[in-house]
Amino acid sequence: MKKLFVILATLVFAVFAFAGCGGDQAAKSSSGSSTVTSSSGAKTLKVGATAVPHAEILEQAKPLLAKEGIDLQIVEFNDYVQPNLALNDKELDANYFQHEPYLKNFIDEHKEVKLANAAGVHIEPMGIYSHKVKKLDELKDGASIAIPNDPTNGGRSLLLLEKAGLLKLKEGVGEKATIQDIVENPKNLKFQEVEAAQVPRTLDDVDAAIINSNFAMQVPLDPTKDAMFIEDSTSPYVNIIAVRAGDESRPEIQALIKVLHSDEIKNFINEKYKGAVVPAF
């Protein structure tokens, strides 16, 4: 009986000792780096993106990052607000959907957000599309034009219309232009401001629409064939990898940038999008 008691006591001690070791191990892992490691040993990198072309480009990056021991997880969004909020709230490690003017404006409007531009990847030329006319000079007096309603893409669309010769803006307003900054409007164009992702859906209701290439390709429209007028390669609106401020030099982020700036990704962009998306590296 005494022998049985000793055995049981030993087993109980062993169980508590093992549990104590497990508790210490968990505490160490939770207090260390925020990087998540999968069961396979790969580090997990969670990146938010809109579907086309960002998520498609990231899909091509997945096997390249896997060779570096990084498991790239892509989280798709269909708007321009939630990816930045999710990144700021540490639900993502990075996002890939926006250009720097949009990011700067977003930060101005959301003071709690602390994000930064880690690197530029590509340009998506914005274009003027229509289901009702084939050329800009066919637009009639009072024609209705749909443009994005966010400040940076709205201003960008007005600059495009100015470059196309359809209106003139107040001197020096640049990318911050609004409808109130139009000083000459010879065709008396009427504007409908719509969320960027929804602009393609207005094509049957308006005479023309200014659409970001990523949303145009989802409809699908071919920016190089279907746009009546399109931004050229001098566009300053480079789509970027955004991260939380201070994470720019994080090894996993640097690995992501290295892969996205590789010849493999450049060749994919050129072959897949044929000018509708242009590498910016």
Side-chain angles (χ1 to χ4, degrees):
M1 185 71 177
K2 183 177 181 181
K3 185 176 181 181
L4 178 60
F5 176 81
V6 170
I7 292 172
L8 288 171
T10 302
L11 287 173
V12 169
F13 176 80
V15 168
F16 276 101
F18 181 77
C21 290
D24 288 343
Q25 190 75 16
K28 288 177 183 177
S29 64
S30 66
S31 63
S33 170
S34 60
T35 302
V36 177
T37 303
S38 68
S39 57
S40 65
K43 293 179 179 178
T44 299
L45 189 68
K46 191 176 292 187
V47 181
T50 46
V52 181
H54 307 85
E56 293 178 343
I57 294 172
L58 289 173
E59 285 291 348
Q60 298 302 308
K62 283 186 76 168
L64 300 175
L65 281 167
K67 293 178 182 178
E68 304 292 327
I70 296 172
D71 175 21
L72 176 61
Q73 296 184 2
I74 304 164
V75 182
E76 288 194 18
F77 292 85
N78 59 9
D79 76 293
Y80 282 176
V81 175
Q82 294 307 312
N84 279 338
L85 296 178
L87 176 58
N88 191 66
D89 291 342
K90 299 185 178 181
E91 296 170 14
L92 302 170
D93 297 296
N95 68 42
Y96 176 36
F97 75 97
Q98 65 193 322
H99 46 64
E100 188 165 34
Y102 179 85
L103 176 61
K104 286 181 176 179
N105 186 78
F106 190 93
I107 293 171
D108 286 342
E109 292 184 349
H110 300 77
K111 301 300 183 184
E112 76 282 5
V113 170
K114 307 296 181 185
L115 304 181
N117 173 4
V121 181
H122 73 267
I123 298 169
E124 297 169 23
M126 183 177 267
I128 306 175
Y129 300 83
S130 177
H131 281 175
K132 299 183 179 179
V133 299
K134 295 184 182 296
K135 297 179 182 180
L136 292 179
D137 58 14
E138 294 176 4
L139 288 171
K140 297 179 180 178
D141 187 84
S144 55
I145 311 291
I147 65 172
N149 66 358
D150 63 273
T152 50
N153 282 302
R156 181 183 180 185
S157 66
L158 293 174
L159 287 172
L160 184 62
L161 288 167
E162 182 178 51
K163 193 166 187 177
L166 291 173
L167 54 78
K168 187 174 180 180
L169 296 167
K170 190 185 301 180
E171 189 82 27
V173 291
E175 67 195 32
K176 295 184 178 180
T178 68
I179 292 171
Q180 285 69 42
D181 294 313
I182 298 172
V183 292
E184 293 181 20
N185 184 6
K187 284 184 176 284
N188 297 305
L189 301 176
K190 310 297 182 187
F191 296 94
Q192 294 185 22
E193 297 178 278
V194 183
E195 184 185 351
Q198 304 303 319
V199 176
R201 298 186 181 184
T202 69
L203 279 170
D204 289 332
D205 302 315
V206 297
D207 295 297
I210 318 301
I211 307 175
N212 298 76
S213 282
N214 58 317
F215 294 128
M217 288 186 288
Q218 289 179 37
V219 177
L221 292 166
D222 183 335
T224 59
K225 295 178 181 178
D226 297 324
M228 297 185 291
F229 191 83
I230 196 167
E231 288 176 329
D232 58 28
S233 59
T234 62
S235 170
Y237 296 92
V238 177
N239 279 225
I240 63 173
I241 296 296
V243 298
R244 286 183 294 280
D247 276 1
E248 296 93 326
S249 299
R250 183 176 156 193
E252 295 80 18
I253 299 299
Q254 286 299 307
L256 173 64
I257 293 167
K258 182 180 178 181
V259 164
L260 290 175
H261 284 182
S262 67
D263 288 339
E264 291 92 334
I265 297 300
K266 178 180 283 187
N267 292 337
F268 169 77
I269 291 173
N270 288 332
E271 291 170 13
K272 170 76 173 178
Y273 304 111
K274 303 185 187 312
V277 177
V278 182
F281 54 91

